[in-house]
Amino acid sequence: MPNPRVIYWFRTDLRLHDSPALKAALDLNPECLYPIWTWDPHYVYRARVGPNRWQYLLDCQSDLSKSITKLNPQSKLFLIREAPQTLFPKLFKQWKITHLVFEKDTDAYGRERDQKVMALAAEAGVEVVVRYGRTLYDPDELVKQNHGKPTMSLNQVQAAGKKIGEIPRPIAAPTSLPDPGDTSLDFEQEVPESKPDINAIQREGEEESYAKLAGPNGDFAIPTMEELGLKPATTQHRGGETIALKMLDEIIANEDYTATFEKPKTAPTAFEPQATTLLSPHMHFGSLSCREFYWRCQDVVDKYKGHASQPPTSLTGQLLFRDMYFGAQASLGFAFGQTYGNSHCRFIPWHIPSKIDTSSGLITGEYLVDNAQAEIYFQRWREGRTGFPWIDALMRQLKYEGWIHHLGRHAVACFLTRGGCYVDWERGAEVFEEWLIDHEAACNIGNWQWLSCTAFYTQFYRCYSPIAFPQKWDKEGNFVRKFVPELEKYSQKYIYEPWKAPIADQKKWGCIIKGDGSSTLIDGKKAYPKPMFDFPTQREICIEGMRNAYHIGLYGNDSKVLDGTWRKLFSNDAEGPTEGSKGPPGAMVEHEDADGQEENDVHEPPGPKTSRRGEADNKRITGNETEIKYHKREASQRTLDGMVTRKKKRNNSDIADHT
DNA sequence: GTAGCAGTTGCAGTG
DNA sequence: CCACTGCAACTGCTA
């Protein structure tokens, strides 16, 4: 048996402390160890990643590389610019690799990728060692102990966890690392297909992710934002294990904070400093081990003299929720991230639903505009110009800083879905995916389902008010003043509902409430938009829609959802794309009149039409002074890509009938 | 099987 | 300031 020549493949574990996989690699007593990162085209082109999260990733990689070099000046994080699926066979051969070691990844895409890589390793005679350290429990174990079912409540996580046994104690960081061997790359680089490039919008310069295998200088260096063609990051939050451990130390040093932490009591309006730990992005990139975090907290709690908080609201409770979402994702796979085909997600006929690839049963990443008004609501929500200062402040903080408080996420998610716009939670999840520095697919998807009351949580009549909710912590509106500075001078009385301020006051405070926010100046005067709807009215419409959908009681994998016949169960007057009893799969809509329509005219509101809601519609406030009535069919303005036809629909219902 | 209670974080009103 | 209620009513868990 030759001496082990080991590749350690970093992915979700950009750290040296508490890494079961890294320990396994070192336990092989390798002759040489190559710490590598492969530049996965899935991340570069297919996932939604905004500049702030890119920057955070680069921070983590740089810090890790420096830490590796500190332990062994010959070594560092070797960043190789090729897809793992094509790179590894060549690398195994060139570097005479005997072992490949990495941390297990239970994300839907991660599993697919790793299965492929493991097959390639087997072909090359390379032994693969996989260890788990990403959550408290291995999600597959958790699911197994939960009777093979996705973990849908904290109770289930705790019961299953008990059966697995104690959460592993953290492992110390290594004090030395073996040399890497020869690092020459005498083979052709295979450049991955860049289309479709979902991240094109994040770039302003030339994208050179795959310019050369070992980077422009051939030194395996971590790329710069410029090299990736990305727009500069705007966040002040910084990644890396060194920072993470320092932050953790500071939290743990404050025993009262650590032991008595109760999430619902922390203020979503707090900034400088924020009310929660800001450790979530570190756990996403693995620059902090969640088990390290867990045991450092638990040890404080165990010796705490006063009354310590308990799960679910305590710090350790927050980590258990993370495990719950990982367990749900591990069990449901790709279906977890969508309604269509998801056995545990309620079917609600939301507006602007996802397009579905009927051959794979997966959402395509595009969506259909069934209703022009809903599309306007969505765009105004995304851009932080809804006219509700609390919502807009949060969305602006999210885009700029890449992080908002958990309760702030609740507020904007409820507002977009069941408590305001009645827009598909998948739209909101996509925006969070792009902008959050702590975006974790499992947690993001799970929380959107929670807040939209499609899974995990059912009390849809508990609805967050964009006016009353923030007042619980911030009567003065300082948070709004910080992120919506045009309202800075508004009095406390009107800060959350500026449209109620007298015109004279609006002028005095230097900002008029007018328009839809598409322009910050109106007639040369600073302007903040009117609210895009009357909240109490819209809230009633949503609750009625939810009540109806709950009563009908379909889940994403119901044959009626799969084939589109769910429409027969919903009234045409119901909220959502329900017009007519026939239609394509999922919540997609027929677009008989789509031909010849302009792709981009969805932002133009349709002219006044007959109201189907009478009073409710008349109360509606719109940003552009024109009363917008809505009607389901008139808004079908997006050109279909030919995927959805009556014929395909029929085929699909045939399939569905057999299942 | 089923009744009763609890559920990470609602709101408005009352005492 | 807190604690409680009614609102109209969901699912999961326990006994």
Side-chain angles (χ1 to χ4, degrees):
Chain A
M1 177 76 184
N3 288 335
R5 299 174 60 85
V6 179
I7 286 179
Y8 187 83
W9 185 20
F10 281 98
R11 303 108 54 88
T12 53
D13 55 334
L14 290 167
R15 66 173 179 274
L16 295 179
H17 75 280
D18 188 33
S19 175
L22 184 59
K23 181 176 185 295
L26 296 171
D27 285 349
L28 293 167
N29 198 18
E31 173 191 313
C32 55
L33 179 81
Y34 295 92
I36 72 159
W37 174 280
T38 61
W39 213 229
D40 192 333
H42 179 79
Y43 203 79
V44 177
Y45 302 124
R46 308 288 190 272
R48 290 178 177 80
V49 191
N52 286 333
R53 192 153 86 256
W54 275 110
Q55 180 65 63
Y56 211 95
L57 169 65
L58 301 183
D59 288 349
C60 288
Q61 292 174 331
S62 303
D63 184 71
L64 175 65
S65 193
K66 277 183 209 151
S67 299
I68 291 171
T69 305
K70 263 184 212 162
L71 294 184
N72 183 338
Q74 306 295 311
S75 195
K76 62 172 165 182
L77 182 65
F78 294 90
L79 209 141
I80 308 173
R81 290 140 173 92
E82 191 171 321
Q85 297 93 328
T86 58
L87 173 69
F88 274 123
K90 296 179 283 188
L91 219 47
F92 292 153
K93 208 170 155 192
Q94 170 103 52
W95 290 351
K96 301 184 177 65
I97 295 302
T98 62
H99 294 76
L100 172 68
V101 188
F102 55 82
E103 179 178 82
K104 179 174 168 180
D105 179 353
T106 56
D107 281 12
Y109 166 72
R111 278 205 215 263
E112 244 183 36
R113 175 199 57 208
D114 292 350
Q115 264 164 22
K116 172 81 176 163
V117 166
M118 285 191 275
L120 294 168
E123 254 171 61
V126 168
E127 199 179 316
V128 177
V129 178
V130 182
R131 291 287 185 276
Y132 192 75
R134 197 176 172 201
T135 49
L136 302 179
Y137 304 102
D138 180 336
D140 290 332
E141 273 297 300
L142 213 49
V143 170
K144 198 172 140 197
Q145 295 302 335
N146 191 42
H147 319 289
K149 296 193 172 93
T151 42
M152 300 305 286
S153 75
L154 203 61
N155 226 317
Q156 291 171 358
V157 172
Q158 287 172 304
K162 223 173 199 173
K163 287 186 240 172
I164 294 169
E166 186 140 277
I167 293 161
R169 281 269 173 186
I171 303 161
T175 50
S176 67
L177 288 174
D179 290 345
D182 171 40
T183 57
S184 49
L185 302 171
D186 303 324
F187 51 78
E188 287 293 307
Q189 178 194 33
E190 193 166 321
V191 177
E193 173 57 50
S194 65
K195 300 282 180 285
D197 180 2
I198 236 170
N199 282 318
I201 50 163
Q202 315 297 350
R203 303 194 184 93
E204 54 188 8
E206 197 71 14
E207 186 264 321
E208 295 190 14
S209 305
Y210 295 97
K212 275 171 83 181
L213 262 175
N217 304 316
D219 58 359
F220 301 92
I222 286 130
T224 60
M225 294 287 279
E226 293 74 37
E227 193 184 324
L228 298 170
L230 292 161
K231 294 172 188 166
T234 50
T235 184
Q236 77 277 29
H237 303 300
R238 285 290 163 265
E241 183 182 18
T242 307
I243 292 173
L245 290 174
K246 195 164 161 265
M247 285 167 71
L248 180 62
D249 283 346
E250 281 167 19
I251 289 158
I252 297 301
N254 187 342
E255 289 174 17
D256 289 329
Y257 178 87
T258 303
T260 64
F261 182 95
E262 288 180 74
K263 186 60 143 296
K265 289 188 180 166
T266 60
T269 52
F271 58 95
E272 290 170 351
Q274 292 89 344
T276 48
T277 66
L278 264 292
L279 290 176
S280 52
H282 289 292
M283 276 182 287
H284 167 65
F285 287 107
S287 49
L288 179 67
S289 154
C290 68
R291 293 171 182 174
E292 177 91 32
F293 186 22
Y294 177 89
W295 279 113
R296 296 276 296 273
C297 290
Q298 194 56 50
D299 288 345
V300 169
V301 165
D302 287 343
K303 66 175 202 274
Y304 191 67
K305 296 282 189 282
H307 183 74
S309 55
Q310 295 292 317
T313 54
S314 64
L315 281 174
T316 54
Q318 305 308 300
L319 293 173
L320 288 165
F321 274 113
R322 187 168 171 270
D323 269 49
M324 176 179 82
Y325 292 134
F326 269 84
Q329 178 179 245
S331 174
L332 295 166
F334 282 107
F336 181 57
Q338 54 184 58
T339 301
Y340 191 80
N342 184 340
S343 55
H344 286 68
C345 181
R346 276 181 185 278
F347 175 76
I348 314 281
W350 306 110
H351 286 303
I352 52 173
S354 296
K355 283 191 191 178
I356 291 145
D357 176 348
T358 47
S359 61
S360 64
L362 299 179
I363 55 176
T364 65
E366 295 181 306
Y367 63 92
L368 288 165
V369 179
D370 64 294
N371 177 289
Q373 181 67 82
E375 170 69 3
I376 291 167
Y377 289 166
F378 173 52
Q379 294 303 334
R380 291 185 61 171
W381 173 86
R382 187 179 193 276
E383 293 159 14
R385 50 181 186 91
T386 65
F388 294 94
W390 165 237
I391 300 297
D392 294 343
L394 285 164
M395 292 307 292
R396 294 180 194 186
Q397 185 189 24
L398 170 61
K399 186 173 186 184
Y400 192 79
E401 300 189 353
W403 180 93
I404 53 177
H405 186 280
H406 191 66
L407 293 182
R409 301 181 196 197
H410 280 213
V412 298
C414 179
F415 185 89
L416 182 70
T417 59
R418 67 178 169 87
C421 307
Y422 217 72
V423 159
D424 199 319
W425 64 264
E426 291 166 27
R427 299 291 74 69
E430 284 164 4
V431 173
F432 274 30
E433 179 189 357
E434 182 183 341
W435 285 347
L436 280 174
I437 52 171
D438 62 10
H439 171 260
E440 189 69 78
C443 301
N444 188 46
I445 291 160
N447 277 318
W448 273 95
Q449 291 178 10
W450 183 300
L451 266 301
S452 62
C453 288
T454 49
F456 302 102
Y457 189 75
T458 58
Q459 287 162 280
F460 54 77
Y461 43 84
R462 289 193 182 167
C463 186
Y464 293 86
S465 157
I467 293 114
F469 187 65
Q471 288 178 330
K472 208 160 126 189
W473 297 276
D474 188 7
K475 277 259 186 275
E476 298 77 31
N478 291 329
F479 177 79
V480 165
R481 290 174 213 281
K482 157 96 174 168
F483 291 100
V484 187
E486 57 267 42
L487 297 176
E488 200 183 350
K489 296 213 170 69
Y490 270 62
S491 73
Q492 186 175 325
K493 186 179 175 187
Y494 297 112
I495 191 69
Y496 291 111
E497 25 190 3
W499 61 91
K500 289 187 177 171
I503 302 293
D505 285 339
Q506 294 184 18
K507 285 181 179 158
K508 190 174 77 192
W509 294 327
C511 179
I512 50 163
I513 307 305
K514 198 173 182 182
D516 64 0
S518 53
S519 173
T520 53
L521 290 175
I522 294 177
D523 303 329
K525 290 196 178 76
K526 208 191 281 177
Y528 176 78
K530 282 186 159 188
M532 63 186 189
F533 48 61
D534 177 61
F535 180 74
T537 306
Q538 199 63 22
R539 179 185 176 278
E540 286 311 308
I541 291 168
C542 286
I543 290 180
E544 187 199 325
M546 293 299 289
R547 192 186 298 132
N548 185 39
Y550 260 68
H551 182 70
I552 290 165
L554 297 175
Y555 282 79
N557 68 337
D558 194 291
S559 64
K560 292 184 179 67
V561 172
L562 298 179
D563 67 16
T565 56
W566 61 269
R567 287 171 179 80
K568 290 175 184 161
L569 305 175
F570 284 77
S571 151
N572 273 343
D573 283 336
E575 194 61 33
T578 56
E579 187 164 290
S581 59
K582 290 179 182 174
M588 299 198 300
V589 288
E590 291 286 359
H591 284 235
E592 287 157 6
D593 55 354
D595 286 351
Q597 296 262 7
E598 288 297 317
E599 177 94 358
N600 291 328
D601 62 3
V602 290
H603 296 283
E604 292 293 319
K609 291 276 160 66
T610 315
S611 169
R612 65 190 171 89
R613 267 185 220 292
E615 281 267 57
D617 263 1
N618 294 333
K619 277 189 221 159
R620 214 156 274 179
I621 299 164
T622 65
N624 49 12
E625 314 290 317
T626 319
E627 186 72 25
I628 298 174
K629 305 291 169 71
Y630 68 97
H631 185 268
K632 286 182 282 279
R633 192 60 63 100
E634 73 198 3
S636 303
Q637 295 179 35
R638 274 237 164 147
T639 308
L640 277 180
D641 57 8
M643 185 181 73
V644 184
T645 64
R646 285 185 183 280
K647 198 175 169 195
K648 276 218 170 158
K649 189 219 91 185
R650 233 180 347 259
N651 289 344
N652 201 70
S653 37
D654 288 345
I655 295 161
D657 286 345
H658 295 300
T659 50

